[in-house]
Amino acid sequence: MRTRTIDSAKLLRRSSATVDLGGYDVLLYPMTHRQCLNAALIMMIDSIFRQAISVGLLGCVCVLGTLSAGTAWAAKPNVVMVLTDDQAPWAFAEAVRSGQFSDVPIPSTPNMDRLAAEGAVFRNFFCTTPVCSPARATLMTGRYASELGIKDFIPQPGHKLYDPDSPVYLDPDNTVTFAEVLQQQGYKTGLVGKWHLGDWTANGDSGKHPTQHGFDSFMGLTGGGTTPGNPELELNGKVQQFQGLTTDILTDHAIDFVEQNADRPFFLCLSTRAPHGRWLPVAPEDWQPYEEMDPTIPQYPDLDTDWVRKKMKEYLASTSGVDRNLGRLLKTLDAQELTSNTIVIFTSDHGFNMGHHGIYHKGNGIWATKQKPPGKFHQGTRVISDKYRPNLYDHSLRVPAIVRWPGVVKPSAVIEATASHLDWFPTLCAIAGDGSSAKDLPGRDLSPLLKGEPQDDWDQAQYFEYDMINYAVASLRGYRTPEYKLIRDRHNEGRDEFYDLTTDPDETVNLIRNPGSQAVIKRLDAKLRAMEKKLEGPR
């Protein structure tokens, strides 16, 4: 397996954007009130030391060392990533109001909307594998999950599919996460919530713990799931039961992390379990917008509409609980005077269907029709399971993605260019000042797009993969351009798909056998096979 090392980059760097204040280089970067006071105190102490000849040299060395560290800290923006679970791109009011989605209700997400109004929204942001563990592995490492041996979601101890003799996990000895890069660059790093990249509790294997992947601290789920209320979570290395709503509890600890690290550069990943099912219970204020709602739902033959309407309300109420807690976190940044020097990223591990295509769930879709399965064939593909419909639909792959970067990203910016979870690693490395750590990775630094710089040569094509091994078996590979999408199932015959996204953006008409589509299919198939061959090569 391919390994990469992190260069030991210097943490103290001089910026070209400085002014001279009494012999000090002061960075022209937004600083908090507390940071300004610290800098002033440092300069005052140094002035006193300069007058003390007998200890002058020692004093200057100590104080200038402190000033250098403080100056470097002021130059580094904090980064907060809110990573939700199973959140569809349409579970975000601004996206629905924009007209991008018309077959779902407008959810109550005022804080996501605030973030979008103060930052940039990506309209075409995708995961590369539409289930939890592989999607998160790609997001954290900037590599395709197939390179890492993570094919499907990782069952945790107690799950009926858990196999203690064949553990699957993100190997800390053969991978590098962006948390490690930020840690090397002087950031205090914390993960609160869901990891789902390997279990460390069954055999006491601390090597699989998030703290072995670049996080200084961890509080949250030891596996992939927990209850929406009164959850069992790990805190300070011990698993214990908490009282209250899970999203509220996780956000409490995320807020604690921010408050405890307000005087230094930090990276926080708040990885919520919601809106992954079970969706109820939720707080009364989160249920209120949907209590009397008759929700708009997708149209599909024989869809179990009563069930879908009920679950749509529960799902969106869970999403509103995430939004309410996002608001709490944003208010904390405001109260700590950190907003101007903090980048906030909001996204989800993968998308979600709620009646779309006759299914609900994600890449391992579950039939939502009254008759299960709806027949021997589904949209021109052979049905292989009475319960599951493995897929690479856009609704499973597309995720919400919002970035607020004060002073860099223009408010209410909309980015149409195609991007994916592969791109977070090089973007965060560039932000931290260590772009070299992303060398040879497939992702791209999103900073030019975020800054509004023209990117005429930006490659809009995306490659997707999903080897479903839990509950059903499929080996899906997909290649997407803004105009077309080709999907091959390398395991099952009769399950290939081709969609003309220009005329059929909802992917309802499978043209895989259409004579007029064969030339385009042949061209995309060559691209698809080239990507497969590339990923099967030496690592």
Side-chain angles (χ1 to χ4, degrees), residues 266-318:
F266 63 81
F267 168 67
L268 165 68
C269 181
L270 169 58
S271 182
T272 67
R273 170 75 159 115
H276 192 295
R278 270 187 307 125
W279 298 305
L280 300 181
V282 296
E285 59 266 40
D286 301 331
W287 178 252
Q288 189 277 328
Y290 312 101
E291 186 170 9
E292 303 299 327
M293 176 185 283
D294 182 12
T296 302
I297 61 173
Q299 299 299 305
Y300 193 84
D302 196 41
L303 187 69
D304 190 344
T305 55
D306 290 343
W307 185 90
V308 170
R309 285 192 179 94
K310 177 177 183 292
K311 294 304 178 182
M312 177 71 81
K313 293 168 65 172
E314 294 178 6
Y315 175 75
L316 292 181
S318 179

Side-chain angles (χ1 to χ4, degrees), residues 46 51 62 78 151 164 246 280 289 355 456-457 485 491 495:
D46 182 64
Q51 298 177 40
C62 294
N78 306 308
K151 297 181 177 182
T246 302
L280 300 181
D456 296 334
D457 59 347
K485 182 198 273 187
H491 183 80
R495 293 202 66 248

Side-chain angles (χ1 to χ4, degrees), residues 99-129:
Q100 187 176 12
F101 306 100
S102 60
D103 55 1
V104 292
I106 299 175
S108 178
T109 57
N111 295 293
M112 296 179 207
D113 296 345
R114 172 195 166 182
L115 208 60
E118 296 173 350
V121 174
F122 285 85
R123 295 284 187 232
N124 295 291
F125 208 100
F126 297 89
C127 67
T128 54
T129 303

Side-chain angles (χ1 to χ4, degrees), residues 53-293:
I53 303 299
S54 60
V55 293
L57 290 176
L58 179 60
C60 286
V61 168
C62 294
V63 173
L64 288 175
T66 304
L67 178 62
S68 298
T71 304
W73 286 5
K76 292 178 181 294
N78 306 308
V79 181
V80 171
M81 173 179 278
V82 179
L83 175 62
T84 65
D85 195 352
D86 280 19
Q87 184 175 349
W90 46 262
F92 164 35
E94 189 276 341
V96 181
R97 291 194 188 100
S98 74
Q100 187 176 12
F101 306 100
S102 60
D103 55 1
V104 292
I106 299 175
S108 178
T109 57
N111 295 293
M112 296 179 207
D113 296 345
R114 172 195 166 182
L115 208 60
E118 296 173 350
V121 174
F122 285 85
R123 295 284 187 232
N124 295 291
F125 208 100
F126 297 89
C127 67
T128 54
T129 303
V131 288
C132 292
S133 300
R136 291 164 183 270
T138 293
L139 185 148
M140 287 288 170
T141 66
R143 296 166 61 183
Y144 287 98
S146 60
E147 297 182 87
L148 308 171
I150 300 176
K151 297 181 177 182
D152 208 335
F153 72 87
I154 300 175
Q156 66 192 66
H159 193 285
K160 62 183 179 180
L161 296 178
Y162 175 69
D163 182 1
D165 297 324
S166 300
V168 179
Y169 58 96
L170 187 66
D171 187 352
D173 295 329
N174 292 304
T175 58
V176 176
T177 69
F178 58 65
E180 291 178 77
V181 178
L182 269 64
Q183 189 181 57
Q184 288 283 331
Q185 289 296 308
Y187 281 79
K188 185 73 172 180
T189 57
L191 171 63
V192 177
K194 181 172 176 175
W195 176 239
H196 205 186
L197 291 174
D199 176 80
W200 58 89
T201 60
N203 299 312
D205 190 352
S206 60
K208 301 186 181 83
H209 197 272
T211 53
Q212 300 300 307
H213 291 276
F215 290 101
D216 293 311
S217 63
F218 168 75
M219 182 275 173
L221 289 68
T222 59
T226 189
T227 57
N230 301 335
E232 285 192 349
L233 304 169
E234 179 182 308
L235 175 64
N236 298 326
K238 296 181 180 180
V239 177
Q240 53 191 284
Q241 187 168 28
F242 290 77
Q243 298 299 311
L245 296 172
T246 302
T247 306
D248 293 2
I249 294 165
L250 295 176
T251 306
D252 288 344
H253 287 271
I255 288 172
D256 288 345
F257 178 88
V258 170
E259 292 176 343
Q260 292 165 8
N261 295 283
D263 288 325
R264 59 184 301 165
F266 63 81
F267 168 67
L268 165 68
C269 181
L270 169 58
S271 182
T272 67
R273 170 75 159 115
H276 192 295
R278 270 187 307 125
W279 298 305
L280 300 181
V282 296
E285 59 266 40
D286 301 331
W287 178 252
Q288 189 277 328
Y290 312 101
E291 186 170 9
E292 303 299 327
M293 176 185 283

Side-chain angles (χ1 to χ4, degrees), residues 328-399:
R328 295 176 59 210
L329 186 57
L330 296 179
K331 287 181 181 178
T332 299
L333 295 175
D334 293 340
Q336 294 291 319
E337 298 182 347
L338 295 170
T339 299
S340 63
N341 192 35
T342 301
I343 300 169
V344 179
I345 298 168
F346 184 95
T347 191
S348 179
D349 53 358
H350 47 70
F352 203 79
N353 301 267
M354 185 58 78
H356 305 87
H357 309 289
I359 63 175
Y360 80 100
H361 226 225
K362 44 215 172 190
N364 49 3
I366 300 174
W367 300 116
T369 48
K370 294 177 182 176
Q371 177 180 317
K372 299 176 179 62
K376 292 183 178 180
F377 293 89
H378 176 256
Q379 292 189 189
T381 68
R382 184 168 60 87
V383 170
I384 62 170
S385 170
D386 291 345
K387 183 175 181 180
Y388 293 96
R389 205 299 192 182
N391 72 89
L392 289 178
Y393 287 126
D394 272 9
H395 278 299
S396 300
L397 293 161
R398 196 190 304 265
V399 297

